[in-house]
Amino acid sequence: MIPANTESGGQGAKGAGGTPRPLTLRGVVFEPALFCAPMASITHSAFRRLLADFGGYGALFTEMLSAKTILGEDRERSAFLKRRPQEGKVIYQLLAWETHRLDETIERLSPLKPDGLDLNLACSAWSVTKAGGGAALCEDPQRLAGIVRVMRRSFAGPLFAKLRLGREAEGWRERLGERLRLLEGEGVDAVTVHPRFHEEKFKRSARHRLYAELAAGTRLPIIASGDIGGQEDCRALAAELSPAAGVMIGRMAAACPWVFARWRDPGLTVDHAEVWRRLCAYVAEDFEPGQALIRLKVIAPYFGRNLFFGHRFFVEVHNAPDLAAVRERTERFFSVPPRLCRSVAVGGI
Ligand SMILES: Cc1cc2nc3c(=O)[nH]c(=O)nc-3n(C[C@H](O)[C@H](O)[C@H](O)COP(=O)(O)O)c2cc1C
């Protein structure tokens, strides 16, 4: 067993002005400890390139990657795997459900020099749990221990795991405590906790108050995820987030890829039409047309939340038959300078 190796201040959200302090894991410094969440169909190479144009984060997570994807893709060309130097630190999230060929999978990633590997223990989509991955793996301590052991043995850098609170059933606190101890014992270096139950998806609010209790029960640095939309939220939630060693932002980054840059530069203004155009160009460069169209349709409802008539923007993209139509329809939409929402909210998508 390799012990967790943390040289963190461990007080991420307590930094000045709500800026998480650096987090150091196995010699890798995440500065600030501000992370873009793994998001399926969103945090591909094209979107990470757009985030990198703005900067301000400590690391980006890829979307969850199944072993099949990793073994079958062209590392240098695949939008799931490739990374550009300007992205900075990239943590690859794995969707694993068995140890078979897991070491080979990790070995295949090594030329990409991941700054960390993350194990998905949170996803409760049927397509993931039916194979025993994500939330289902979290419910199976023996299989989980085997998988983490192989990951630890095969990768010398920071090892993360991302989980929710588990099933909402009697004993969830004890089960969650046991999982954290298991991950700690098997050499995981940090965990991301999205404090909702598996069944909840995005219902109810994230239970940020639990971070104090969770942090008291583990030596692992905890990265807070869920309903955190930027620096203002970090300030407002300072007490609840202070036991966390870092902060992760998901849906708000999909809506506002400049969210991390605003930390450094609160006055930063953006030209929404130009950013959307750039995203279309990046996605079209990295994906074949059919896949590019799907990616733009997934992100459109989030990006639309910036706009007063965001629903119309979303419908234009959603109904577009191809990439050319997306471009043409959104150009028409932006031909009249759009009214912007004063505050952006991503709930309910
Ligand atoms: C479209 C979408 C895709 C997601 N895909 C993943 C994923 O691949 N792996 C994962 O661990 N979490 C995934 N999540 C969960 C996010 O990483 C994050 O924990 C969650 O959205 C809560 O954070 P937020 O309120 O900042 O969005 C996804 C969330 C969304 C909205």
Side-chain angles (χ1 to χ4, degrees):
M1 247 168 354
I2 303 173
N5 177 358
T6 310
E7 306 105 44
S8 159
Q11 303 292 316
K14 271 191 187 165
T19 306
R21 294 200 182 118
L23 171 66
T24 305
L25 302 170
R26 292 186 185 265
V28 180
V29 185
F30 299 97
E31 185 172 13
L34 197 51
F35 301 92
C36 179
M39 287 184 283
S41 297
I42 295 181
T43 52
H44 42 68
S45 58
F47 182 69
R48 297 199 310 269
R49 181 179 178 187
L50 183 67
L51 288 169
D53 288 346
F54 293 103
Y57 50 78
L60 308 173
F61 280 71
T62 68
E63 61 189 283
M64 54 186 168
L65 304 164
S66 72
K68 206 168 128 208
T69 306
I70 293 169
L71 290 173
E73 294 277 312
D74 176 340
R75 248 181 334 233
E76 315 307 324
R77 293 165 60 93
S78 161
F80 300 107
L81 300 185
K82 75 173 173 192
R83 60 185 289 193
R84 294 177 165 85
Q86 66 263 37
E87 286 173 52
K89 296 200 166 67
V90 179
I91 297 161
Y92 284 74
Q93 189 186 66
L94 304 193
L95 191 57
W97 49 88
E98 58 183 359
T99 50
H100 177 63
R101 298 187 77 187
L102 187 55
D103 48 356
E104 198 184 326
T105 303
I106 293 168
E107 182 54 37
R108 201 168 150 66
L109 285 177
S110 73
L112 294 164
K113 301 196 180 344
D115 295 290
L117 289 185
D118 184 32
L119 179 62
N120 182 321
L121 301 176
C123 183
S124 56
W126 185 76
S127 55
V128 168
T129 55
K130 76 170 182 212
L137 181 60
C138 198
E139 298 295 327
D140 187 340
Q142 222 177 329
R143 208 156 44 86
L144 172 60
I147 285 175
V148 177
R149 217 165 288 155
V150 174
M151 288 178 76
R152 184 67 292 168
R153 197 172 64 208
S154 316
F155 180 67
L159 191 55
F160 298 76
K162 183 164 179 288
L163 62 163
R164 286 188 171 218
L165 301 176
R167 275 182 299 115
E168 187 172 17
E170 214 183 307
W172 68 265
R173 271 194 160 79
E174 290 72 23
R175 279 196 301 279
L176 181 58
E178 278 166 24
R179 287 311 168 271
L180 293 175
R181 281 192 293 280
L182 181 155
L183 296 169
E184 196 178 312
E186 296 295 344
V188 163
D189 299 304
V191 286
T192 303
V193 181
H194 177 188
R196 283 186 169 99
F197 291 102
H198 286 150
E199 307 82 356
E200 288 180 321
K201 310 272 183 204
F202 286 97
K203 283 191 226 116
R204 303 202 207 155
S205 302
R207 297 166 181 80
H208 301 122
R209 272 167 204 213
L210 286 175
Y211 289 126
E213 178 184 328
L214 296 176
T218 178
R219 278 187 292 121
L220 291 175
I222 295 176
I223 298 167
S225 166
D227 302 346
I228 305 170
Q231 193 174 29
E232 271 181 36
D233 284 352
C234 281
R235 285 207 186 103
L237 293 166
E240 285 98 326
L241 297 183
S242 67
V247 168
M248 176 179 276
I249 297 185
R251 290 166 296 166
M252 193 58 88
C256 309
W258 50 86
V259 66
F260 303 105
R262 278 250 169 94
W263 240 278
R264 264 194 325 233
D265 180 4
L268 177 74
T269 56
V270 291
D271 174 345
H272 291 75
E274 187 280 323
V275 174
W276 175 257
R277 221 171 275 137
R278 197 152 26 116
L279 177 63
C280 290
Y282 288 176
V283 170
E285 202 178 303
D286 283 7
F287 286 97
E288 57 89 10
Q291 291 299 315
L293 182 65
I294 292 170
R295 297 315 183 280
L296 292 174
K297 288 186 181 195
V298 171
I299 204 163
Y302 297 97
F303 195 79
R305 287 296 175 98
N306 292 286
L307 313 167
F308 209 74
F309 292 107
H311 186 68
R312 249 192 54 211
F313 172 86
F314 160 65
V315 170
E316 294 289 10
V317 178
H318 185 73
N319 293 340
D322 53 35
L323 276 184
V326 168
R327 285 192 161 120
E328 187 197 311
R329 291 172 189 200
T330 53
E331 281 304 325
R332 206 178 323 125
F333 181 93
F334 284 121
S335 64
V336 179
R339 261 179 81 189
L340 301 177
C341 294
R342 223 171 323 137
S343 79
V344 179
V346 289
I349 305 179

